[in-house]
């Protein structure tokens, strides 16, 4: 029996998160929220917060302009965090996106999709699609949409990209499939998407994996925790795009794809399979893969100052700014 001063744990997903029986959530990993900055001292990038809807927010990043009416590529970015951690407003994400915006010379919309367990999946997917629709709506004459001046004045809507790390990479995959089937406002097209260390999992072992280890893994448990009502469990196509009834990857709604992986990341074998599956699908686009030796999951977000992190961020930037 728990004492009065000790809350009883309902779900323990250490070192990620604990859910208590009274409904409170203790997030065990993450970085503190930081305010936006009109002029980041390290990069010169300006950032500000915005409301896309009453329940959906984002942080917008604008690099230093070389001319007043300069048009820039637009990246809609989805952060990492296993659908239950981190934030578009966190220190780690602000530092990373400032660097990426400056390196790519791109306008970036970092989406504050709602997190599980308070807002279980598929809410994050819906928020992510809503944010992309909102960006695309800046090309339309819709009086019901309050336009964001940075986007209307500096966004190049023929160069729309989406990208994400970890859970954000998973979101990118699912958004690209939706964009391939459902038009965006103004018939805006996504030029390219990057999936960095994407969160894909499944019941079938790959390579040296053992089935029992897969089922006991945190990656398995987190998915069922963040999406408790998911049809098909860990073999739902949103987390396992390789199952028989998954939508064909030939339907990805962009023309360029970049998949970034890290040698020591347990998700890498599925990232490699994803690239192979895209190539075999008949998708009419260009797919590239980068695997960084000796590094682990999201190393470039956690420490963007290492040489390998700088190289990867430059690779992402060149993909966006091409």
């Amino acid at each position: 029996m728990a004492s009065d001063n000790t809350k009883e744990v309902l779900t323990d997903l250490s070192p990620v998160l604990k859910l208590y029986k009274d409904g409170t959530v203790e997030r065990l990993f993450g970085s503190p929220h930081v305010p936006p900055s009109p002029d980041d001292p390290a990069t010169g990038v300006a950032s500000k917060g915005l409301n896309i809807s009453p329940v959906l927010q984002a942080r917008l990043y604008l690099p230093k302009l070389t001319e007043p009416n300069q048009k820039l590529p637009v990246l809609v970015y989805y952060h990492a965090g296993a659908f239950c951690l981190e934030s578009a407003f966190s220190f780690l994400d602000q530092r990373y996106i400032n660097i990426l915006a400056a390196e790519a010379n791109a306008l970036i919309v970092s989406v504050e999709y709602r997190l599980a367990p308070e807002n279980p999946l598929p809410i994050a997917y819906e928020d992510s699609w809503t944010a992309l629709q909102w960006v695309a709506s800046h090309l339309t004459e819709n009086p019901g949409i309050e336009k964001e001046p940075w986007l209307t004045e500096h966004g190049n809507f023929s160069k729309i990209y989406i990208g994400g790390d970890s859970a954000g990479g998973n979101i990118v995959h699912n958004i690209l499939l939706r964009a391939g089937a459902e038009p965006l406002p103004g018939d805006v097209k996504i030029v390219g998407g990057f999936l960095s260390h994407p969160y894909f999992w499944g019941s079938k072992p790959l390579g040296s994996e053992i089935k029992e280890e897969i089922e006991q893994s945190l990656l398995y448990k987190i998915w069922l925790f963040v999406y408790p009502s998911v049809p098909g469990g860990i073999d739902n196509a949103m987390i396992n795009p390789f199952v028989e009834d998954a939508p064909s990857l030939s339907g990805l709604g962009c023309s360029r794809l970049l998949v970034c992986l890290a040698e020591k990341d347990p998700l890498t074998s599925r990232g490699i399979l994803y690239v192979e599956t895209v190539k075999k699908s008949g998708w009419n686009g260009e797919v590239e893969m980068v695997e960084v030796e000796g590094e682990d999951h999201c190393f470039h977000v956690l420490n963007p100052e290492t040489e390998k992190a700088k190289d990867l961020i430059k690779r992402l930037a060149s993909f966006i700014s091409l």
Side-chain angles (χ1 to χ4, degrees):
M1 186 81 179
S3 65
D4 290 343
N5 62 354
T6 306
K7 293 200 293 185
E8 203 171 342
V9 176
L10 180 66
T11 306
D12 189 344
L13 294 174
S14 298
V16 172
L17 173 150
K18 286 182 182 178
L19 174 65
Y20 293 90
K21 284 196 172 175
D22 66 0
T24 57
V25 179
E26 182 184 9
R27 289 178 166 87
L28 304 173
F29 175 86
S31 58
H33 284 201
V34 292
S37 168
D39 185 2
D40 176 56
T43 61
V45 172
S47 56
K48 64 179 176 181
L50 52 88
N51 293 316
I52 292 172
S53 80
V55 295
L56 181 58
Q57 298 173 299
R59 187 161 288 182
L60 196 59
Y61 294 81
L62 183 70
K64 275 205 178 305
L65 301 169
T66 54
E67 53 186 81
N69 299 317
Q70 189 175 1
K71 295 288 188 181
L72 305 172
V74 178
L75 170 68
V76 179
Y77 175 76
Y78 306 110
H79 68 78
F83 299 103
C84 58
L85 298 175
E86 273 299 283
S87 164
F89 310 147
S90 75
F91 166 76
L92 286 175
D93 274 84
Q94 172 116 329
R95 179 179 63 179
Y96 170 51
I97 299 301
N98 273 329
I99 296 168
L100 183 58
E103 191 70 45
N105 203 28
L107 201 163
I108 301 180
V109 181
S110 183
V111 181
E112 180 71 344
Y113 57 84
R114 286 171 287 172
L115 300 179
E118 298 91 338
N119 297 281
L121 288 177
I123 287 173
Y125 292 125
E126 292 303 321
D127 284 352
S128 299
W129 178 252
T130 298
L132 180 59
Q133 286 183 308
W134 176 82
V135 169
S137 71
H138 283 70
L139 200 60
T140 67
E141 297 299 323
N142 184 345
I145 300 281
E146 190 175 340
K147 304 277 178 87
E148 164 50 49
W150 284 3
L151 279 168
T152 53
E153 293 166 20
H154 302 296
N156 181 345
F157 287 87
S158 65
K159 290 190 172 182
I160 299 280
Y161 290 83
I162 68 173
D165 290 272
S166 191
N170 173 291
I171 289 172
V172 168
H173 157 73
N174 284 292
I175 293 294
L176 286 174
L177 281 176
R178 186 164 176 177
E182 189 177 326
L184 286 164
D187 204 28
V188 166
K189 302 297 183 194
I190 302 169
V191 176
F194 73 76
L195 293 75
S196 176
H197 309 166
Y199 179 19
F200 297 130
W201 207 239
S203 63
K204 186 178 177 183
L206 285 184
S208 60
E209 293 172 353
I210 299 166
K211 188 169 179 62
E212 290 72 26
E213 288 179 0
I214 284 179
E215 292 173 355
Q216 290 303 311
S217 73
L218 206 51
L219 293 162
Y220 188 105
K221 292 174 182 175
I222 285 172
W223 174 251
L224 300 180
F225 175 75
V226 298
Y227 199 168
S229 66
V230 62
I234 199 67
D235 288 323
N236 180 278
M238 297 184 106
I239 188 75
N240 186 357
F242 318 116
V243 290
E244 276 188 28
D245 60 350
S248 170
L249 299 187
S250 64
L252 292 167
C254 65
S255 54
R256 298 175 58 228
L257 202 59
L258 174 64
V259 179
C260 302
L261 308 170
E263 181 188 13
K264 294 181 178 178
D265 185 354
L267 295 171
T268 288
S269 57
R270 282 178 170 74
I272 293 168
L273 180 59
Y274 184 79
V275 173
E276 292 169 350
T277 308
V278 169
K279 287 178 176 176
K280 291 174 186 171
S281 71
W283 177 66
N284 189 25
E286 176 190 330
V287 59
E288 302 170 75
M289 186 181 82
V290 174
E291 184 178 351
V292 181
E293 290 181 5
E295 294 292 351
D296 212 327
H297 191 66
C298 287
F299 70 94
H300 59 300
V301 179
L302 297 168
N303 187 359
E305 298 301 327
T306 68
E307 286 309 309
K308 285 182 178 178
K310 287 177 181 176
D311 287 346
L312 180 57
I313 292 170
K314 281 179 178 162
R315 184 68 191 79
L316 293 169
S318 66
F319 177 78
I320 299 161
S321 56
L322 188 66

